[in-house]
Amino acid sequence: MAATTDAAPALGPGIYRRKTKTQRVLNALNGMVAVPMRDPFALVGLAIYVVFVLVAIFAPQIAPYDPLEILFADGKLASNIPPLTDDHVLGTTNLGRDIYSQLVFGTRSALIIGLSAAFIVAALGTLVGLLAGYFGGLIDTIMMRIADVALGIPFLPFVIVLAAFLDPSVWNIVLAMALLLWPNTARVVRSQVLTVRERAFIDAARVTGSSTSRIIFQHVAPNILPLSFLYGSIAIGWAILTEASISFLGFGDSNVVSWGVMLQDSFLSQALSRGSYHWFLPPGICIILVVVAGFFISRGYEEILFPKLRD
Amino acid sequence: MVRVVNRLLHMLFVLWAVATIMFFMFRLMTGNPLAAYIDTNFTLEQQEALLVQFGLDKPLWQQYFIYIGNLLQGELGQSFFYRKPVGEVLMNAFPNTIVLTMGALVVAYLFGIPVGAYLAWKRGTWIEGVGIPTVLATRAAPEFWLGMILLAVFAFNLGWFPSGGANTAGAEFNSEFARFTSVDFLWHLVLPALSLALYLQGLPLLLMRSNMLEVMQEEFVTMARMKGLSEWAIIMRHAARNALLPVVTTFALSIGLSVGGNVVVETVFSWPGLGRLLVGAVASSDFPLAQGAFLLITLVLVSMNFIADLLYHVLDPRVSHGSNN
Amino acid sequence: MIRKKALLTALALSGSAFAFAALPAATPALAAGDAIRDLTLIARDQGANPQAFQAAQLIAQAWGKLGLNVSVRGLPRLQQSELVWYNRDKWDMTMWQMVGRPERSDPDELVYNLFHSSTAESGYNFIGYKSEEFNKLAEAQRVETDKEKRRELLRQAQAVLDRDQPNMFLVYPKRSFAFDNAVFAEDSVVEQPGLGIKNIWSYLGAQPLGDQKDMILNSTDPLNAINPLYISGATDSWVTELIWDRLLRISPEGLAEPWAAESFEWIDQTTIDVVLREGMMWHDGNPVTVEDVVFSFEVPNVGDEVPMYQPFVKNIESVEATGDRTVRFKLKGPSASFLTSSLAKVNLTPKHVWEAVIDDLANRPENAESHQEDLPIGSGPFKFVRWKQQEEVVLEKNADHFSPPNIDRWIIRIVSNTEATVSMLRSGEINFLSDYNGDPEVLADVADKDGDIAIVSSTDIGFQYATVNHRRPPFDDVAMRRALSLAIDRNLMVAAAWNGSAEIANSPVSTALSYWHSDDTDAISGSLEEAQQILKDAGYEVIDGRLHYPDGIKETLEGP
C-alpha cells in the first residue's frame, strides 16, 4: 500500500513490448516474486507461506511423534494430557495423540490441498480464458455458457453432495474446486486476453507466421500469468477453508491428518466442555494464518493489476 | 427490456443445466438409489415393485424426461427418510434459512458499510493497518470455528443466549409470522446470525472502502474540498452516497451465496434450516431430499445472481478483493 | 523463483504423507502362503459413535501388531449398512452395535437372529456365521417353556459362541442419562435394568416439583417416522411406545406384565387368552375394542404391508375375539418368548384408521411403512401434538388414560451437537438427557458444577462389537478369529474408548440380563502374545512385519 506507482511493475498494463521468448518467461516469473516484494502486506503473506512450507517439508523432523499414533504411558492411554507436559507441547487428544505433531503434519495437508486446488483452478481458468478470449466466436460462447452454469452451482452444497457419492477424501474438495471455481479466473483472463490480442506485438507475431498455439502460449499467456496467480492465491484459502468445513460436517477423511479433521476431532471429543482450548484453538489459528497470507499476497497483485483502486 | 428477457432466458438455461447435471450425478453415481429406502425385510419382489414405483426400471432418457417434467410442475418426489413430499419438507426449513441469512446480511451491511467508509477515511493510518488485516482474518476463519467459540463464550459460559434451535421447546405460536417476530425466536437468532455476519461483513466493508477511495479522487470531491467543507462532511454528503450504491447491489448476490454457505453455521447452532437438511439428507442417503435441497439452494443462488446482474448494469459495478466467489 | 521451487519440493515430499498404508507386500523368504491383503475396518463416523470410532482406532493399531495392515474407515449409518448389510461378500471387518430395547429383555432375539444360519442370507447374521451345533441350541431354547432348562440351553449356546468367536464382543456400554432434579422429584424417575431411566415408567412417574411441567428430552438423530406399524430409528421407538399401547409392557423388572390387557392366561402350551382392559379410548374418542386387538395382530400378515412386524406374529396360528373383551391366541408351536416379543411388542392399532390405509396400499408397491399420519392416533398415555422436523416432537398428557402421566407435555428436541446438548441441560433448555454419546466424565463435571443435575448410568442390554466377514478368508478360520479377539485388550477398550463407563462383553446376552447371561464366558481378556501364539500354531507366519497365510494358501481377494 505504501508502495508508489512510479515503481511500475514489469507487468502492469500498457507495458507489453516485444521481447525474446526467454526474456518474457523470465520476466513473468520474476514478476510473480517481485510484485509481493513491493507491498508490505504481501511480504508478510509470503513470509507466512515460507514458514509453513518449511514446516511442511521438515514435518517429520519437527514433530516429536507420529500424528496418528495412539500413545501410551505406563501401559495406560496417554489421553488428554495438558499442554507443556513432558514433550507434549500442546498436550494430547482424547485418544492419546500428540496435538502438536498433528498440527505440524496438518501443514502438509493444508498445503497439498491448497496448492493443488489453486493450481488446477488457475490452470484451468487460464486455459479456458485464453482459448475463449483468443478465438472468440463459438468457442467463446460455449465456454462462457459453461462458466455460467458452473457459477450457478452453490459451492459448499456441491461438495457435500459429492461426498454422498465418493469416498471421504480431500481430493473431493480439489475436484469440486476444479469443477466450479475456474470460471472466475477464466472470465477475467478472457477479458484481459481480449485487450492483449489486439496489441501490436501479437499482430507482428501473426504476420511473421507464428503458429496459433505459439502465439497463445508464448506471446499472450505470459502477459496474463499474474492474473492467474492472483486467482490461484485466493483459491488456496478457499480450499483449506472448505476442507475444514467438510471435515466438520463429517464428510472428511479421518485417516488424513488435517487441521479440519483436528477441529472436528476436538469438537466431537468435547474439547470446549473440557476447556481444552490448546486443542481447539491452534488449528483454527493456523487456518486463519495461511488463508490470510493468501489474501495478503493476492492484494499485492491486485493493487498492481488494478491500479485504479489506488491513488 | 430486451436485456431483462435475455437475462431471464439465460437464468432458465443455467437452471436447466444444473438440474440436468444433478440428475445424472444422482442416477449414475449411486450404486442403488433406493438403498436407503429398501428395508432389510423387503422381498425381491417388493424391491422390484419399488423400482417400478420410482420409475427406475425405465430407460435413463425416459427417466430424465419424467424428471424434468416433474421439476417443471414443482414435483420433487418423496423423501426416503421423512416419507413425505420433498417440497413439504423443504418448505418447513426454507423460511428459517432465509430469515437467518437476511438477518445476518442486514447486520453485516449495517456494520460493514460505515466501517468501510471509516477505514477509507483513515487511509494510511495505523487504524487501517490494524483494521484491514482484522477484517481479512474474519474472512479467513472457518465459520463453524468462530461459531463454536461464540457458542462457548455466550451460551455455555455466560448463559446469555440459548445453545441451539430456533425456539424454546414446545413454544406455541398462532402463525409463522408471529413466530418470526417473537422475542423467543429473535433471542435464538442472535448467535447464529452474528456468526454469519462476522464472516459476511468483510465483503461490504472492503467494497465500500475501495469505492470510497476511488470516489474521493473524483472532481466533485476535490471541488468540495476547495470549497472548504470539512472532511467529514465531504465523506458523508458526497463520497459515501456515490460509493454506496454499488455496494448495495452486492446484497442480492450475497443472499444467493450465503444461503448455500451457511450450512455449517446451521449445524453448529442446530438451526432447523435448509443446509442442515441437506447435510442430513446426504448422510442418510436420502437422495430425493438431497437433490431437492440442492436445487432449491441453486434456485436462490441463480435468481439472486440474476437480480444482482440486472442491478449491476443499472449501477456501475466494481471488482473487489475477496469476493471471487 | 525460489518460492516456486520450494513449493514444488513441498508438494513432492509431502506426497508421502498420504502413503502410510500403501507399502507393497514383501516377497516371502520362508515357506509360507501369500501375504494377507490390506484390510479396512469399517466404523460409524466419529460424530455418530465417538466411542466405537475410538475403539476402532485402538483395534486397528492392535491388529497391526499381529502383522495385519488395517485402516479405519468411518461411514455414515446408511453407507455402512449399504456395504455390510446389502453387499455381504464385499467387506472384511466392521464395527457394529446392537442397541437395547425393552423387547430385547428376552435373549431370544439377539441370540437367535444374530447367529442362526437361516438369517445369514438376508437377516441379522450378516457376518455369515454357520454352526449346526449352535443352530440346534438356538432352536431348542426358543420352544423350551421351562425357564431353568431354557437357561441351560442358552448357557451352552453362549459357550459355543465363546469358543468360535464369530464376533469380537467389546463392551456392554453403561449409558449415561441425566435429569434436572430441581424439576423432577428424584425418586419419581425409574431405572429399568438394561435401559436406564429413559423408559416409559420414568415418563409416567416423573413428578414435577415446580411450574415446569414439560419433560424436555434430547435426541442426536432426527426422527424418521411416527408409525405404529414400522420399527424405524431408535428415537422413533421412544415416541411410538408412548402414543400406542400394547397388551403387555415390559416392567421395570424386565418382565412382560399386563398393560392394555387386564389379564392373560395360558390355556395350554399353544393357547393364550387375553382380557382387554375396560373403557379404553383412542385419542380421537372412539373406544378400543377387541376387533382393534385382532386387527393389530392380523395386520402384519396382510400381504407384505407390514414387513417389520411379521417376525413377531409369525408363530400365531389364529387370533380371534371370544367375547366383548376377550381374545384368544393360538400358536403354531410353543414359544418361550411370546409374551415379550409378541404381546409386549405389537402396537394396538386403531382399525378404523388403518384398515382403509392398508386396503389402499394393497394395490400399490409401497407398504404401511411409507404412510405417515398427519395426526397419529393411538390409545397410549401420551397424545401426539406436533412433529417439526429437525426441531422437536411434542406429545401431551392423555388425562383419560388408565395410567396418566404426571407431566403435561413430553417434548423431544433434535440436537446433533453434543457440546450444545450438555450446555442445554445446564441452562434448562432440556431437562432430561436421554441421548448422550459424549464422555461420561465431562457430564459428571458439569453435574458437579451445576448442582441440580442427577446422573444415572446403567449397563445396556445392547453391546458394541467388532466383527469380521466369515465368507472371506482368513476369517473363516476360528484360529484367526480367536487371535483377533485375544489381541484386543478389553480393559483398554473400557478405559480408553468408553472412559470406564462400560463392562467387558463376550456374549450377546448382556450382564444386564443377569438371569440369562452366562458367567462362564466372562473370561476373555486378551494378550497379544497369546494371539500371536495361536496364529503361529495355526501356521500363519509374520515375514517382514506382515502376516502371511499358512503354507500353500494363496490370497484370492483384493485389499481396498
Side-chain angles (χ1 to χ4, degrees):
Chain A
M1 226 140 290
T4 47
T5 15
D6 58 2
L11 292 147
I15 350 182
Y16 305 103
R17 282 183 298 270
R18 190 154 208 269
K19 294 178 194 149
T20 70
K21 185 167 77 185
T22 347
Q23 251 180 330
R24 267 196 308 275
V25 173
L26 273 181
N27 246 341
L29 288 176
N30 184 38
M32 282 165 212
V33 184
V35 166
M37 292 303 176
R38 297 199 185 88
D39 182 291
F41 276 123
L43 205 58
V44 171
L46 205 57
I48 295 175
Y49 268 6
V50 169
V51 171
F52 276 108
V53 167
L54 287 176
V55 170
I57 294 171
F58 296 108
Q61 283 75 38
I62 298 169
Y65 296 94
D66 176 338
L68 285 173
E69 192 189 350
I70 299 165
L71 302 169
F72 292 85
D74 309 324
K76 283 175 70 186
L77 190 74
S79 63
N80 294 316
I81 293 177
L84 299 175
T85 314
D86 302 328
D87 50 354
H88 300 295
V89 183
L90 291 171
T92 59
T93 71
N94 197 35
L95 189 54
R97 287 167 169 164
D98 185 59
I99 296 173
Y100 177 66
S101 302
Q102 296 204 331
L103 200 66
V104 168
F105 273 90
T107 312
R108 288 189 164 186
S109 314
L111 290 182
I112 290 169
I113 299 163
L115 293 178
S116 41
F119 177 77
I120 294 178
V121 168
L124 202 60
T126 308
L127 189 67
V128 172
L130 270 175
L131 297 180
Y134 187 81
F135 290 109
L138 191 63
I139 292 179
D140 184 27
T141 311
I142 291 173
M143 284 180 168
M144 288 303 108
R145 285 299 84 81
I146 296 175
D148 288 338
V149 173
L151 286 175
I153 296 177
F155 180 62
L156 198 57
F158 183 74
V159 187
I160 293 168
V161 170
L162 265 192
F165 307 118
L166 305 176
D167 282 340
S169 159
V170 293
W171 299 110
N172 293 350
I173 293 150
V174 176
L175 174 67
M177 292 195 62
L179 290 173
L180 298 191
L181 295 191
W182 57 269
N184 297 301
T185 321
R187 281 183 170 179
V188 182
V189 166
R190 174 178 166 273
S191 56
Q192 188 79 348
V193 171
L194 288 179
T195 53
V196 174
R197 78 167 178 190
E198 301 309 324
R199 291 185 190 274
F201 72 98
I202 301 288
D203 274 342
R206 223 177 266 140
V207 171
T208 54
S210 294
S211 71
T212 310
S213 67
R214 207 183 156 85
I215 296 175
I216 294 181
F217 291 106
Q218 291 182 3
H219 298 270
V220 182
N223 287 306
I224 49 161
L225 263 182
L227 257 184
S228 319
F229 235 71
L230 165 65
Y231 279 85
S233 58
I234 298 173
I236 294 176
W238 266 97
I240 294 171
L241 281 175
T242 307
E243 190 272 334
S245 296
I246 288 297
S247 299
F248 170 75
L249 294 173
F251 302 119
D253 181 354
S254 51
N255 290 316
V256 171
V257 184
S258 76
W259 295 330
V261 171
M262 284 179 76
L263 283 177
Q264 159 78 342
D265 188 13
S266 72
F267 176 65
L268 293 175
S269 307
Q270 297 170 288
L272 287 171
S273 295
R274 287 176 211 276
S276 304
Y277 295 102
H278 56 273
W279 186 4
F280 187 75
L281 294 181
I285 293 169
C286 284
I287 292 175
I288 294 181
L289 281 176
V290 174
V291 179
V292 161
F295 285 171
F296 281 176
I297 293 174
S298 66
R299 280 182 71 80
Y301 285 111
E302 202 170 14
E303 296 271 327
I304 288 153
L305 286 168
F306 305 108
K308 70 168 178 174
L309 295 185
R310 310 157 53 92
D311 39 325
Chain B
M1 204 53 218
V2 175
R3 181 171 177 84
V4 175
V5 173
N6 204 356
R7 297 312 295 174
L8 201 63
L9 287 175
H10 183 224
M11 176 180 114
L12 291 175
F13 162 77
V14 171
L15 282 176
W16 165 77
V18 175
T20 303
I21 291 169
M22 279 298 110
F23 173 83
F24 286 103
M25 267 180 78
F26 278 89
R27 284 299 184 284
L28 298 182
M29 291 176 79
T30 45
N32 175 5
L34 286 181
Y37 198 74
I38 291 176
D39 200 86
T40 46
N41 293 321
F42 281 18
T43 61
L44 270 177
E45 293 80 54
Q46 284 172 323
Q47 300 193 12
E48 267 156 32
L50 275 171
L51 280 179
V52 174
Q53 183 201 341
F54 281 92
L56 292 168
D57 57 327
K58 297 196 173 70
L60 203 63
W61 63 270
Q62 266 188 27
Q63 290 184 37
Y64 174 71
F65 283 108
I66 293 171
Y67 162 83
I68 293 289
N70 285 341
L71 276 188
L72 287 175
Q73 296 166 39
E75 173 60 58
L76 292 164
Q78 188 90 356
S79 157
F80 289 167
F81 186 80
Y82 291 107
R83 285 147 212 270
K84 283 184 180 172
V86 167
E88 192 186 321
V89 178
L90 291 179
M91 279 310 136
N92 281 327
F94 189 55
N96 289 322
T97 290
I98 288 296
V99 171
L100 172 62
T101 306
M102 295 301 286
L105 276 173
V106 167
V107 173
Y109 275 70
L110 285 181
F111 174 85
I113 289 170
V115 174
Y118 179 75
L119 285 182
W121 185 34
K122 291 287 176 189
R123 244 195 111 265
T125 68
W126 66 270
I127 295 177
E128 189 196 34
V130 174
I132 296 291
T134 312
V135 173
L136 289 179
T138 60
R139 286 182 75 74
E143 282 171 282
F144 67 90
W145 184 76
L146 281 183
M148 282 308 295
I149 291 174
L150 286 182
L151 201 55
V153 174
F154 294 104
F156 301 174
N157 290 321
L158 296 173
W160 293 353
F161 295 100
S163 310
N167 281 106
T168 301
E172 306 276 354
F173 298 99
N174 296 326
S175 66
E176 276 292 275
F177 180 76
R179 185 168 78 85
F180 286 134
T181 47
S182 66
V183 174
D184 184 55
F185 178 83
L186 296 175
W187 188 51
H188 280 78
L189 179 67
V190 173
L191 286 185
L194 200 64
S195 308
L196 265 181
L198 257 177
Y199 172 78
L200 293 170
Q201 48 79 28
L203 177 62
L205 191 152
L206 293 171
L207 262 181
M208 186 65 191
R209 176 179 162 276
S210 57
N211 288 340
M212 284 289 287
L213 289 181
E214 206 177 323
V215 171
M216 278 161 76
Q217 290 171 49
E218 285 181 21
E219 254 172 51
F220 67 92
V221 175
T222 322
M223 289 288 289
R225 248 189 218 117
M226 281 159 67
K227 275 194 248 162
L229 286 177
S230 77
E231 277 297 298
W232 183 244
I234 294 169
I235 287 192
M236 291 317 291
R237 223 176 294 162
H238 300 280
R241 266 172 48 196
N242 285 288
L244 193 60
L245 283 175
V247 179
V248 175
T249 61
T250 62
F251 193 88
L253 206 61
S254 297
I255 297 174
L257 291 175
S258 179
V259 165
N262 57 20
V263 176
V264 282
V265 169
E266 291 187 356
T267 305
V268 169
F269 293 96
S270 311
W271 191 259
L274 209 51
R276 212 170 128 224
L277 206 57
L278 175 71
V279 171
V282 166
S284 61
S285 308
D286 186 347
F287 297 129
L289 184 58
Q291 182 172 280
F294 188 87
L295 289 175
L296 182 55
I297 293 170
T298 305
L299 179 66
V300 175
L301 174 67
V302 174
S303 45
M304 287 302 147
N305 281 357
F306 166 69
I307 291 173
D309 190 70
L310 289 185
L311 288 174
Y312 255 42
H313 286 88
V314 175
L315 308 150
D316 184 21
R318 304 290 143 104
V319 190
S320 183
H321 174 79
S323 58
N324 79 314
N325 194 22
Chain C
M1 284 292 246
I2 292 165
R3 173 160 165 266
K4 190 168 185 182
K5 202 167 166 191
L7 292 181
L8 288 174
T9 322
L11 258 178
L13 282 178
S14 43
S16 61
F18 290 94
F20 289 131
L23 292 169
T27 3
L30 304 159
D34 285 352
I36 295 173
R37 65 191 176 274
D38 288 347
L39 300 163
T40 302
L41 174 59
I42 302 163
R44 279 298 305 279
D45 51 293
Q46 190 180 5
N49 192 343
Q51 292 90 354
F53 188 80
Q54 194 141 321
Q57 310 266 340
L58 289 163
I59 291 171
Q61 187 159 319
W63 288 350
K65 290 187 184 139
L66 293 177
L68 293 168
N69 199 346
V70 183
S71 57
V72 178
R73 191 170 150 213
L75 292 177
R77 181 167 68 97
L78 282 151
Q79 287 185 28
Q80 184 185 24
S81 41
E82 159 91 22
L83 193 57
V84 173
W85 200 282
Y86 297 103
N87 290 291
R88 297 197 171 197
D89 48 0
K90 299 251 169 65
W91 55 278
D92 282 314
M93 307 169 146
T94 187
M95 303 294 287
W96 204 264
Q97 64 171 350
M98 286 292 149
V99 298
R101 293 200 181 122
E103 319 79 77
R104 288 181 174 166
S105 302
D106 187 288
D108 179 66
E109 187 179 338
L110 292 178
V111 169
Y112 186 93
N113 288 351
L114 248 56
F115 302 106
H116 193 274
S117 301
S118 64
T119 66
E121 201 184 323
S122 63
Y124 271 99
N125 185 0
F126 58 86
I127 57 173
Y129 171 62
K130 289 201 172 137
S131 158
E132 271 313 309
E133 188 185 359
F134 178 84
N135 286 352
K136 289 209 179 79
L137 290 166
E139 287 157 18
Q141 64 82 25
R142 227 175 198 199
V143 294
E144 182 54 69
T145 41
D146 181 306
K147 215 175 171 189
E148 283 294 318
K149 285 187 191 154
R150 186 171 174 227
R151 173 154 84 158
E152 183 46 38
L153 289 167
L154 280 164
R155 261 176 200 285
Q156 291 173 23
Q158 291 176 68
V160 172
L161 295 179
D162 179 34
R163 186 196 67 207
D164 287 354
Q165 291 291 318
N167 290 335
M168 293 83 217
F169 291 101
L170 301 174
V171 295
Y172 310 115
K174 282 188 193 148
R175 312 276 302 173
S176 292
F177 304 98
F179 63 96
D180 192 327
N181 59 15
V183 176
F184 303 111
E186 195 142 1
D187 56 1
S188 66
V189 173
V190 183
E191 185 182 355
Q192 186 167 351
L195 294 166
I197 56 171
K198 184 198 69 189
N199 63 66
I200 187 169
W201 311 109
S202 286
Y203 309 149
L204 293 176
Q207 189 63 54
L209 295 169
D211 292 341
Q212 174 59 286
K213 294 196 170 22
D214 291 344
M215 181 182 275
I216 309 165
L217 305 92
N218 77 297
S219 165
T220 314
D221 294 319
L223 274 86
N224 189 336
I226 299 178
N227 183 332
L229 301 178
Y230 177 28
I231 307 167
S232 38
T235 313
D236 308 14
S237 67
W238 311 349
V239 178
T240 45
E241 73 166 326
L242 301 183
I243 299 179
W244 287 275
D245 278 323
R246 293 155 185 195
L247 285 175
L248 309 183
R249 269 200 203 272
I250 310 295
S251 71
E253 291 72 40
L255 300 169
E257 291 191 345
W259 180 253
E262 196 174 272
S263 64
F264 64 90
E265 191 188 355
W266 285 100
I267 305 300
D268 58 45
Q269 282 219 330
T270 56
T271 313
I272 185 167
D273 277 353
V274 174
V275 182
L276 184 65
R277 198 181 276 270
E278 205 172 357
M280 286 173 64
M281 302 285 242
W282 296 111
H283 297 154
D284 60 4
N286 288 305
V288 179
T289 66
V290 283
E291 276 73 40
D292 290 316
V293 177
V294 172
F295 175 79
S296 306
F297 283 87
E298 278 179 351
V299 77
N301 275 330
V302 178
D304 274 320
E305 302 302 340
V306 188
M308 287 199 111
Y309 278 95
Q310 271 175 10
F312 306 107
V313 300
K314 207 156 57 183
N315 195 29
I316 299 177
E317 172 80 43
S318 70
V319 45
E320 57 180 324
T322 48
D324 272 0
R325 284 168 50 213
T326 51
V327 178
R328 171 166 290 186
F329 292 88
K330 274 195 184 294
L331 310 186
K332 289 174 184 159
S335 162
S337 61
F338 182 71
L339 297 181
T340 305
S341 57
S342 296
L343 294 188
K345 174 97 183 173
V346 173
N347 291 310
L348 293 187
T349 312
K351 189 179 179 182
H352 64 279
V353 174
W354 282 91
E355 192 173 35
V357 174
I358 298 289
D359 283 350
D360 177 48
L361 286 167
N363 308 317
R364 293 196 281 136
E366 294 128 307
N367 58 31
E369 294 176 359
S370 61
H371 182 76
Q372 178 60 54
E373 295 171 84
D374 288 334
L375 184 67
I377 299 291
S379 63
F382 289 92
K383 292 185 199 175
F384 178 89
V385 178
R386 71 164 167 266
W387 171 17
K388 293 179 89 176
Q389 294 136 14
Q390 307 192 84
E391 284 185 79
E392 61 184 14
V393 171
V394 180
L395 306 184
E396 66 181 5
K397 167 185 191 161
N398 177 6
D400 301 327
H401 195 264
F402 57 83
S403 177
N406 296 320
I407 54 174
D408 283 350
R409 293 193 298 177
W410 184 93
I411 300 170
I412 188 151
R413 299 281 284 176
I414 315 299
V415 187
S416 52
N417 179 336
T418 306
E419 300 257 29
T421 305
V422 174
S423 162
M424 286 178 174
L425 182 65
R426 289 198 63 183
S427 64
E429 287 167 80
I430 61 170
N431 54 33
F432 195 107
L433 182 69
S434 48
D435 189 3
Y436 182 65
N437 283 324
D439 185 342
E441 270 175 42
V442 170
L443 186 60
D445 283 351
V446 166
D448 269 355
K449 268 188 233 157
D450 191 87
D452 46 15
I453 291 174
I455 299 176
V456 183
S457 55
S458 19
T459 305
D460 204 342
I461 301 177
F463 42 83
Q464 303 276 336
Y465 60 104
T467 193
V468 290
N469 195 338
H470 296 221
R471 299 172 184 85
R472 288 163 70 97
F475 307 118
D476 50 347
D477 184 354
V478 180
M480 172 57 77
R481 294 198 305 263
R482 287 195 65 82
L484 290 176
S485 193
L486 287 175
I488 300 171
D489 182 344
R490 304 300 203 280
N491 290 314
L492 179 69
M493 291 292 132
V494 171
W498 276 271
N499 276 72
S501 205
E503 283 184 51
I504 291 176
N506 186 32
S507 154
V509 183
S510 165
T511 49
L513 305 175
S514 53
Y515 184 81
W516 304 110
H517 176 79
S518 166
D519 298 335
D520 303 342
T521 61
D522 289 350
I524 187 115
S525 68
S527 105
L528 193 65
E529 293 70 34
E530 248 177 288
Q532 284 163 336
Q533 192 58 48
I534 290 174
L535 288 176
K536 210 168 169 190
D537 293 347
Y540 292 88
E541 249 177 286
V542 178
I543 300 165
D544 293 336
R546 191 74 194 251
L547 193 65
H548 285 59
Y549 282 101
D551 193 12
I553 299 183
K554 296 268 172 233
E555 177 59 276
T556 51
L557 298 162
E558 269 176 45

